[in-house]
């Protein structure tokens, strides 16, 4: 059945007949979104007060570091709760990534763990989450911050790969429609979208110079914006060079404009973490009394870069494609009436719609890599919801470190180099098929 493996399920009548692989990915992604919802609730100011009731969660949490046994951490209880929720989700997906190593087909007994036992998986996630909230604080928050930084860097690169793939697929589809229908409307739409992306990028660059730089000082911000602007111009020019067009006829400014817009967003997100109040008007530093150095703390705590980042994360997660080609491309897409449902198809059996096994000859995606992607996504959510802030050594002040700035800027450079490689790879390696 669609949710409970071989057990009867009341919701099966509402579920369309589909593949086990599709249902499994959707439900694991649902677990990720469920954890994200809980994290969002945890960081709401009203919920932070209730976290005081958890034993050892705030009182005496700094004793391991040898500081005062009673630490007033009331201003970032939600921050610590999000870290523990992120740890629980990461541990859950890490567990399944390890369990599913080298699973080749559904004939492997471990494939049943991937595609069934959903109620027990939910209990495992709840158990890990409850246990995470009883981890002694000590150095946990400081150490887990760096795990989150590394994981978020890798997930930003995954988002860039997905965006590059989306941009190439988008351009190819519209150009194919234009060639097949001989309609100029497709070319007009292509030009319009490209113009909108570039216009938004230029407007964003101007606003970054206005709000995140000053005539004197703020050298880092000026350098980051200028370097990324120059790099975006370079990849845009390279994308329309005759040699590139000859090797990749579908390459064009639509892809470059989308990558440019995303790069400017990453630059904005990095500048929003610059730990200098003069160069970062959205900076928020919360101390143990709950005060903030920035005005309108409730607004800056949920800053615009974090909201945009969550929207991009949701879109990329919905369109994530991990090893989409199955091991055997000849798997049946349907079955004649009366055929055994485990060999394809999804007809009703006894009036109940059933999910069918489409991976007997080979898995349609890498189980381990899929869980690793969700693990990195959980760390990215954790860092985004906390604005990449971390408590200082005394656990009294929540600050934005330079580490977050450099990680985001480095990821933007890595993404531009990755896109540039997709353009020049057919020229550098002419014997390979990049279609």
């Amino acid at each position: 059945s669609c949710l409970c493996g071989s057990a009867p399920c009341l919701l099966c009548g509402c579920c369309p007949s589909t593949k086990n692989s599709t249902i499994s990915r959707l439900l694991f992604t649902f677990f990720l979104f469920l954890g994200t919802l809980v994290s969002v609730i945890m960081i709401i100011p009203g919920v932070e007060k209730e976290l005081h009731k958890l034993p050892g969660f705030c009182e005496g949490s700094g004793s391991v570091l040898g500081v005062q046994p009673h630490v007033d951490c009331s201003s970032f209880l939600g921050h610590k709760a999000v870290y523990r929720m992120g740890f629980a989700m990461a541990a859950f997906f890490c567990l399944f990534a390890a369990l599913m190593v080298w699973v080749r087909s559904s004939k492997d007994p471990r494939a049943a763990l991937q595609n069934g036992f959903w109620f027990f998986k939910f209990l495992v996630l709840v158990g890990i989450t409850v246990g995470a909230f009883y981890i002694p604080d000590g150095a946990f928050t400081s150490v887990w911050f760096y795990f989150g930084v590394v994981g978020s860097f890798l997930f930003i690169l995954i988002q860039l790969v997905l965006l590059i793939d989306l941009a190439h697929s988008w351009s190819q589809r519209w150009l194919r429609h234009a060639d097949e229908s001989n309609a100029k409307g497709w070319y007009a739409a292509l030009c319009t979208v490209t113009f909108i992306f570039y216009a938004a990028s230029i407007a964003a660059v101007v606003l970054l110079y206005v709000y995140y730089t000053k005539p004197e000082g703020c050298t880092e911000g000026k350098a980051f914006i200028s370097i990324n602007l120059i790099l975006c111009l370079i990849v845009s020019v390279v994308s329309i060079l005759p040699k590139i067009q000859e090797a990749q006829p579908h390459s064009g400014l639509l892809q470059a404009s989308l990558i440019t817009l995303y790069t400017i967003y990453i630059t904005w997100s990095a500048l929003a973490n610059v730990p200098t109040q003069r160069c970062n008007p959205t900076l928020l530093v919360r101390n143990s009394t709950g005060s903030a150095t920035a005005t309108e703390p409730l607004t800056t705590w949920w800053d615009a870069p974090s909201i945009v980042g969550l929207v991009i994360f949701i879109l990329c997660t919905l369109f994530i494609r991990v090893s989409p080609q199955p091991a055997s491309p000849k798997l049946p897409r349907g079955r004649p009436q009366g055929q055994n449902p485990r060999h394809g198809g999804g007809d009703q059996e006894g009036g109940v719609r059933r999910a069918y096994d489409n991976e007997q000859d080979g898995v349609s995606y890498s189980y381990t890599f899929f869980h690793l992607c969700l693990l990195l996504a959980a760390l990215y959510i954790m860092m985004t919801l906390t604005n990449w802030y971390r408590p200082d050594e005394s656990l009294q002040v929540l600050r934005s470190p330079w580490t977050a700035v450099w990680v985001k800027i480095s990821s933007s450079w890595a993404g531009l180099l990755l896109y540039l490689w997709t353009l020049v790879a057919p020229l550098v390696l002419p014997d390979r098929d990049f279609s």
Side-chain angles (χ1 to χ4, degrees), residues 104-134:
R104 299 298 188 185
S105 70
S106 60
K107 298 176 183 178
D108 191 312
R110 292 174 295 168
L113 294 176
Q114 172 75 8
N115 299 316
F117 302 100
W118 293 105
F119 177 73
F120 298 102
K121 290 177 186 176
F122 179 74
L123 291 183
V124 169
L125 178 59
V126 172
I128 296 176
T129 302
V130 173
F133 276 83
Y134 287 92

